[in-house]
Amino acid sequence: MSEPTFKMLDGRAAAPFPITPWQPLLVPREEIEREICRLSEMPLPEDGRRATLIVHPSCTDGSMGFAPGIDVTISVLNPGEETRALMRNSNQIEFCIRGSGSVRVGAEEQQLSKWGTLTIPSMQAYSHKNTGDEVWVRLTYSNAPLLRKLAVHWINYADSVVERNIETSSTGLDHSYNRNNAPDRQISDSGARLRGYEFLTDIEVVRNRPLVWPWEAVADMLTMKDGDAKRNIILLYNPATERRNGTTHSFFATVFSHPVGKPVRKVGRGHKHSSVAINYHFTGHGRSIVDGVEIPWRAGDLLLSGPSWSEHAHYYDDEATFVLTIQDHPLHIGMESLIWQERMDGPILNLGSEAGQTGYVGPRMAG
Ligand SMILES: [Fe+2]
């Protein structure tokens, strides 16, 4: 008999052990600009995709992440160029940093221009076309690294796919067998149930459409002047994510504004959470302190600003500053793993499963 290929490991390997986050990582504006130029000037690839992944040095398993579960891609299209349609089971958030164009997702066509944000839901064919007269540049965030770790990142060209009809399931089967007539029996006072297999395969659909948040609409809710009673941080909410308050099913996107004249925050302790935060600073300058390390940043810099469970705080200089933050917060809510510590001497809360963190005054400003 051949030797078994599996291993038997000491179960104490799963004993309490400190979390080791990836190091924070700054990608300076100059490096991003250099890559945009290189992409724009290289010969057009066969599928039209001029794209570069920014990979963290700690990502050594081939999953190509900027954070363990999030990849960041610089995507460039020259005027008039378009990409071949793709379909993938990862979801995406796109943030336009220069130029404009149209994004076709299924049967829908969306326009995306500077500082606008767009979502591409999973398993819908999508393609991009630069309809402007300058280079179109987007930062794209996706959950592909997590799917690669799970060995299920499905990605294919989809030239012939126009629209998926979410009302029609697979054909050739008797549709009278569905979850509505499957057994569903409660077997304990505390809630345990037994259900038919149909519940696993015929899942209630929540429609997820591609959405756009144009910069003008986002900016309208953000504070632009100290004391104007507007918000300093706003969530780009996709109703398909329901109580998980995401922009996609994996990530939320927020935009933060620090107006000129707002008193500079005193240096103090930060907070920490299991979700990872990636900041893109599109105006202004300031610094972040992550696990005691100070990282200065300015407009155009991308920063892994809140690696998982690292204490972080951000400080803004006296200049108008906007920051896009992407976090894998909804993913963690779905997994019941979103732990959050607002004060280093306070409790660790499991957000979504127990009473959450209240008392945030900052986001309200005066309203
Ligand atoms: Fe944070």
Side-chain angles (χ1 to χ4, degrees):
M1 203 169 141
S2 61
E3 288 294 307
T5 53
F6 50 82
K7 290 177 186 168
M8 297 286 195
L9 288 181
D10 185 343
R12 285 172 299 175
F17 197 77
I19 290 171
T20 311
W22 285 10
Q23 291 297 301
L25 179 65
L26 183 91
V27 183
R29 173 184 61 194
E30 292 77 13
E31 295 291 333
I32 295 173
E33 286 298 324
R34 204 185 338 268
E35 193 56 23
I36 291 168
C37 284
R38 191 190 70 78
L39 288 168
S40 174
E41 289 166 5
M42 74 181 194
L44 182 66
E46 215 169 284
D47 63 1
R49 296 166 69 217
R50 301 177 184 272
T52 295
L53 284 153
I54 308 172
V55 179
H56 194 287
S58 294
C59 183
T60 54
D61 62 358
S63 58
M64 296 186 273
F66 185 65
I70 310 175
D71 63 16
V72 181
T73 304
I74 305 169
S75 294
V76 169
L77 275 179
N78 291 329
E81 290 179 351
E82 61 186 304
T83 60
R84 188 173 166 189
L86 265 184
M87 188 185 272
R88 42 195 273 181
N89 67 341
S90 44
N91 58 60
Q92 299 173 77
I93 293 178
E94 298 207 313
F95 184 68
C96 175
I97 60 175
R98 192 188 308 170
S100 61
S102 65
V103 189
R104 195 167 176 81
V105 185
E108 302 195 38
E109 189 162 326
Q110 308 277 5
Q111 305 305 312
L112 186 64
S113 51
K114 191 174 175 185
W115 298 350
T117 308
L118 167 119
T119 56
I120 302 177
S122 158
M123 296 306 280
Q124 298 191 30
Y126 66 93
S127 61
H128 294 79
K129 181 172 186 174
N130 184 340
T131 53
D133 52 15
E134 60 174 319
V135 173
W136 186 24
V137 186
R138 291 163 282 119
L139 292 178
T140 307
Y141 305 78
S142 99
N143 63 331
L146 178 62
L147 296 180
R148 291 188 188 106
K149 285 183 177 73
L150 299 175
V152 286
H153 190 223
W154 189 95
I155 178 162
N156 254 308
Y157 290 112
D159 308 83
S160 59
V161 180
V162 177
E163 186 180 17
R164 292 168 71 81
N165 186 349
I166 64 167
E167 307 297 333
T168 311
S169 67
S170 60
T171 55
L173 296 170
D174 184 343
H175 295 301
S176 61
Y177 294 90
N178 59 55
R179 70 174 182 277
N180 295 320
N181 53 29
D184 180 15
R185 182 186 305 160
Q186 184 162 339
I187 59 159
S188 79
D189 291 341
S190 50
R193 305 183 80 88
L194 288 167
R195 281 187 157 182
Y197 187 77
E198 296 89 327
F199 280 93
L200 299 177
T201 57
D202 177 28
I203 297 163
E204 184 186 352
V205 170
V206 177
R207 189 172 183 194
N208 186 14
R209 296 179 62 170
L211 299 176
V212 172
W213 289 263
W215 170 244
E216 298 69 32
V218 176
D220 189 51
M221 278 191 79
L222 284 173
T223 180
M224 298 292 164
K225 197 167 158 267
D226 192 33
D228 62 6
K230 292 193 171 183
R231 292 266 162 166
N232 71 349
I233 188 162
I234 208 81
L235 162 68
L236 279 49
Y237 176 61
N238 175 350
T241 65
E242 301 179 325
R243 69 181 270 282
R244 286 171 294 109
N245 278 279
T247 310
T248 69
H249 286 295
S250 296
F251 308 142
F252 76 54
T254 57
V255 178
F256 171 87
S257 170
H258 175 89
V260 176
K262 186 173 163 63
V264 174
R265 187 179 158 200
K266 231 173 64 196
V267 173
R269 298 299 301 262
H271 76 169
K272 53 166 75 174
H273 33 79
S274 53
S275 47
V276 159
I278 300 173
N279 282 355
Y280 178 70
H281 314 90
F282 51 107
T283 64
H285 45 82
R287 63 206 158 104
S288 296
I289 299 178
V290 185
D291 280 338
V293 177
E294 184 170 319
I295 305 164
W297 47 257
R298 68 213 151 97
D301 291 348
L302 180 77
L303 176 64
L304 175 58
S305 54
S308 54
W309 210 240
S310 59
E311 182 185 342
H312 56 273
H314 311 301
Y315 303 91
Y316 310 92
D317 300 333
D318 191 17
E319 185 174 328
T321 302
F322 296 124
V323 185
L324 172 80
T325 300
I326 304 291
Q327 274 194 31
D328 50 2
H329 194 269
L331 170 79
H332 278 289
I333 297 171
M335 296 194 297
E336 210 180 31
S337 52
L338 182 58
I339 52 173
W340 194 283
Q341 191 172 21
E342 191 53 36
R343 293 170 56 99
M344 291 305 104
D345 58 357
I348 296 172
L349 300 176
N350 186 359
L351 299 190
S353 297
E354 61 182 319
Q357 182 67 50
T358 54
Y360 274 102
V361 177
R364 275 179 200 269
M365 307 297 282

